[in-house]
Amino acid sequence: MQTVAVLSLKGGVGKTTIVLGLASAAQRRGARTLVVDLDPQCNATATLDPDDTEATLADVLETPRPAVLRDAIARSGWGEEVDVLVGSEDLELLNDQDPDPRRLEKLARALEELAHLLSDDELPYQLILLDCPPSLGRLTKSALIAADGALLVTEPTLFAVSGAQRAFEAVEQVAEAHNSDLALLGVVVNRVRPQSYEHQYRIQELREHFGTMVMPVALPDRLAVQQAQGACMPIHAWGTPGSREVALALNLLLARVLRGVNRGRQRPVIRTDEGNEADENEVDEDERVVQDG
């Protein structure tokens, strides 16, 4: 089981889109996935369209007992490979800016119980995706404490570097204080228009600042993403040229994310201006795959 926190400290960059896209890519490759909706806006829950539950993530964070956790998880409308730990607007009430450290550990404790909730004929979760709110309060910190790796999301805009830098510093702080095993998986750029000079300039700016931590796989800006989400369908099932382009990028992104988690702590949470030869080779390899695709 691999747990990935997806975060940004700047709203509106498509963080939930990345979570849903990775869940769609995982479903396509047959990996059982749990999406944990920590964002009080509950957009991931709405798009995954689960059945009603007797509890929500807010209840789990208050009382992380197995019975409460079981009541807060539902199968998504996407199919049996994707489940949801459903969100709630009440999560906003729990998003303290300076929470008690013991409260920060409740999500991690709850997720440790997942294996005990499965029946004998159920497959275990292979991937857990934590959709964080765009703020550094209890919810995001709890996700980073529970995660094996953190994926930062940004857009190629004027404030991209500063927003990604603040998220990067947040990951560093949590890793130092609470979760020394947390790996920074990289920075993914979302909603890219390849023909835009401004977008290419900002991506280059991000690369100059973060080096090889910027994912070579960027997500193109395509209407199909909003259409699939509006229809509560995975992007891989939408079936338009735009959706297929996005799906290919998500397949590559998922592979790189999982490789980063499996590689474990070879990606420590430190400044990445210099990079290393192995990472440069991986970037070149992934870029060739994108171009060939």
Side-chain angles (χ1 to χ4, degrees):
M1 187 171 71
Q2 301 173 345
T3 304
V4 177
V6 181
L7 70 149
S8 170
L9 296 187
K10 181 180 182 298
V13 300
K15 165 186 54 61
T16 298
T17 293
I18 298 298
V19 169
L20 295 170
L22 290 173
S24 178
Q27 181 185 40
R28 178 53 60 96
R29 62 189 289 177
R32 192 175 184 207
T33 301
L34 176 68
V35 174
V36 181
D37 192 355
L38 285 146
D39 193 330
Q41 296 183 69
C42 304
N43 291 333
T45 298
T47 302
L48 289 165
D49 194 27
D51 293 333
D52 292 337
T53 57
E54 296 181 13
T56 70
L57 179 56
D59 299 304
V60 172
L61 292 180
E62 287 290 275
T63 311
R65 293 200 303 262
V68 180
L69 181 62
R70 183 183 295 108
D71 288 342
I73 294 176
R75 180 167 295 175
S76 77
W78 289 10
E80 61 183 14
E81 296 90 352
V82 181
D83 290 350
V84 193
L85 181 44
V86 300
S88 166
E89 293 180 359
D90 292 341
L91 286 167
E92 189 62 53
L93 302 175
L94 305 179
N95 200 23
D96 316 347
Q97 295 304 303
D98 190 21
D100 185 314
R102 290 173 297 180
R103 294 170 67 83
L104 289 175
E105 298 173 356
K106 287 189 173 183
L107 178 62
R109 283 163 45 198
L111 296 181
E112 288 174 356
E113 297 291 336
L114 284 172
H116 305 299
L117 299 183
L118 302 176
S119 60
D120 292 339
D121 59 344
E122 281 188 287
L123 293 174
Y125 292 113
Q126 295 169 270
L127 177 64
I128 299 177
L129 296 168
L130 308 177
D131 187 12
C132 303
S135 61
L136 188 60
R138 176 188 171 187
L139 299 175
T140 297
K141 289 179 179 178
S142 295
L144 292 174
I145 289 172
D148 301 308
L151 178 66
L152 311 185
V153 181
T154 188
E155 284 185 317
T157 62
L158 175 62
F159 302 109
V161 172
S162 60
Q165 179 63 35
R166 285 187 288 111
F168 179 79
E169 291 169 356
V171 174
E172 280 191 315
Q173 292 168 9
V174 172
E176 182 176 352
H178 303 283
N179 184 1
S180 60
D181 290 332
L182 182 65
L184 180 61
L185 302 176
V187 180
V188 59
V189 188
N190 190 33
R191 295 174 181 162
V192 175
R193 295 192 295 274
Q195 304 306 315
S196 168
Y197 174 81
E198 172 69 10
H199 282 197
Q200 296 307 315
Y201 177 83
R202 297 302 173 189
I203 291 172
Q204 182 59 33
E205 190 176 37
L206 282 164
R207 290 194 186 283
E208 290 173 358
H209 191 80
F210 289 101
T212 58
M213 291 310 300
V214 178
M215 291 284 189
V217 183
L219 274 292
D221 186 12
R222 296 292 180 265
L223 179 61
V225 173
Q226 288 73 43
Q227 291 173 331
Q229 289 178 6
C232 298
M233 289 180 61
I235 188 68
H236 287 71
W238 192 240
T240 66
S243 70
R244 287 191 287 271
E245 182 182 3
V246 174
L248 172 62
L250 287 165
N251 292 343
L252 296 171
L253 179 61
L254 177 64
R256 189 170 176 87
V257 165
L258 295 179
R259 186 168 68 230
V261 175
N262 285 330
R263 193 167 58 237
R265 315 319 156 204
Q266 294 180 30
R267 272 196 189 280
V269 181
I270 57 173
R271 303 289 173 184
T272 57
D273 293 328
E274 295 182 0
N276 58 59
E277 183 177 351
D279 282 341
E280 293 289 355
N281 289 339
E282 287 181 2
V283 169
D284 291 342
E285 179 182 352
D286 282 344
E287 285 180 334
R288 283 196 296 272
V289 173
V290 172
Q291 291 166 1
D292 292 344

